[in-house]
Amino acid sequence: MKVFEKTFVKLAAVFGACGFLMLTGCANSISSGSGEAVEYGSIEVVSGESVASDSRALDVSSLTTATVTVSGYGMQDVSKKDVAITAGAGTVAISGIPAGNNRVVTVESNVTGAVIRAVCTVEAGKSTSVAVDWDSTAVASVFYYLIKSGIDVSSIESSSFSSKIPAVHPSLFDAKAFATAFKAGGNSASGMASDTYVSTYGTVSVTSSNAAGYTVQVTDVASESQTISGASDSFELKAYPGSWKVLVKDSAGATVKSESVYVASGETTTVDVSLVSAGVDFSDKVIVFIKAA
């Protein structure tokens, strides 16, 4: 389960791009408290393909653990905590997933905002493959909050609301408020305005000099990398609130400068990533002039 390597979510296990995460359920049936037979199936979480070109990036070394949870209407959450992530990789098995439609798989790492989801159908006695990545997260998060509000989502189609989801990174989408409005509208998105459901983000204002051609990246889940275009440049990046690093990378991807920043909701944090120009660097040096006799 390779985690947030070049993209902040190349997932195939918990978050990786190569490998897979097995969530294994029982194939047999047992009786529920009401006397009805409860059947179980299994799901296999695999890599999402569309995130391969994502320009965002988290610091892989900051990812150490994850919790994987399966939620659904009429069932208790089935989860495994403290799943170890080493160098962006790990595996986990979870048993006892009741069969049903529109089950939601949630993968939450120890890094702030790094939560991805996907919707799937768990069939009795069968194994279902499901891709979990950022592309699947927005729709799945709406289903998740509908489930948590007691709505039977088994017959709800994502097409009934997906066009109203704002065009922002899923970590900046207020899916809980969206689901609340959808429920209040009688499970209808009619009249809902997309821009209403964008979470408050922070802004990182970047200034630079002597760094043309270098790439700047905030190690949060939402911001995109940007290439410095001239000898002096300035630009702003939307970022998920929290404590992050601002990295400056050369064309080979090596980090040549790193600055720590704290991003607050609705506020702007300024950071200078200027590089020392070619030649001798006299900063922090004591220069002594000696007068000739």
Side-chain angles (χ1 to χ4, degrees):
M1 122 189 116
K2 197 151 173 146
V3 189
F4 293 103
E5 201 170 27
K6 196 163 182 184
T7 72
F8 67 160
V9 85
K10 287 185 176 177
L11 176 97
V14 171
F15 303 90
C18 301
F20 60 88
L21 166 66
M22 289 296 296
L23 301 181
T24 306
C26 303
N28 61 333
S29 303
I30 63 173
S31 295
S32 66
S34 63
E36 296 179 355
V38 179
E39 297 184 299
Y40 296 85
S42 63
I43 61 177
E44 177 185 4
V45 179
V46 298
S47 166
E49 306 226 346
S50 60
V51 296
S53 61
D54 200 322
S55 60
R56 302 169 182 86
L58 276 175
D59 180 4
V60 175
S61 64
S62 67
L63 295 155
T64 57
T65 60
T67 297
V68 183
T69 304
V70 183
S71 307
Y73 178 75
M75 61 169 279
Q76 296 293 318
D77 284 355
V78 179
S79 63
K80 183 69 173 290
K81 297 181 179 181
D82 299 321
V83 178
I85 301 173
T86 304
T91 59
V92 63
I94 300 178
S95 61
I97 305 172
N101 192 33
N102 287 340
R103 301 308 197 199
V104 177
V105 180
T106 300
V107 181
E108 180 174 5
S109 84
N110 61 293
V111 174
T112 303
V115 180
I116 52 178
R117 294 189 173 98
V119 180
C120 67
T121 296
V122 178
E123 298 185 71
K126 295 183 180 180
S127 178
T128 302
S129 179
V130 55
V132 184
D133 55 33
W134 285 113
D135 287 346
S136 63
T137 296
V139 166
S141 291
V142 175
F143 277 112
Y144 175 81
Y145 287 111
L146 287 173
I147 289 168
K148 293 306 177 182
S149 67
I151 296 295
D152 183 353
V153 299
S154 59
S155 61
I156 295 178
E157 298 290 339
S158 62
S159 58
S160 66
F161 61 79
S162 58
S163 64
K164 299 292 186 176
I165 293 175
V168 295
H169 187 266
S171 65
L172 300 178
F173 168 45
D174 191 346
K176 185 175 183 179
F178 187 98
T180 299
F182 182 80
K183 178 182 177 181
N187 294 344
S188 172
S190 178
M192 292 174 61
S194 297
D195 293 345
T196 305
Y197 307 103
V198 178
S199 299
T200 303
Y201 53 83
T203 300
V204 177
S205 178
V206 180
T207 58
S208 69
S209 61
N210 302 316
Y214 288 81
T215 299
V216 177
Q217 172 68 58
V218 182
T219 60
D220 70 313
V221 294
S223 64
E224 297 186 16
S225 60
Q226 184 161 329
T227 301
I228 298 171
S229 59
S232 295
D233 198 5
S234 62
F235 48 86
E236 294 185 342
L237 299 173
K238 296 178 181 178
Y240 193 94
S243 297
W244 310 109
K245 297 282 189 182
V246 177
L247 306 180
V248 180
K249 297 185 177 183
D250 62 19
S251 58
T255 298
V256 297
K257 187 169 186 175
S258 175
E259 297 286 346
S260 297
V261 295
Y262 177 76
V263 180
S265 296
E267 298 184 13
T268 298
T269 301
T270 301
V271 61
D272 184 80
V273 296
S274 298
L275 300 180
V276 177
S277 58
V280 179
D281 179 11
F282 289 105
S283 61
D284 299 322
K285 303 291 191 302
V286 175
I287 302 175
V288 179
F289 294 92
I290 301 176
K291 184 178 180 179

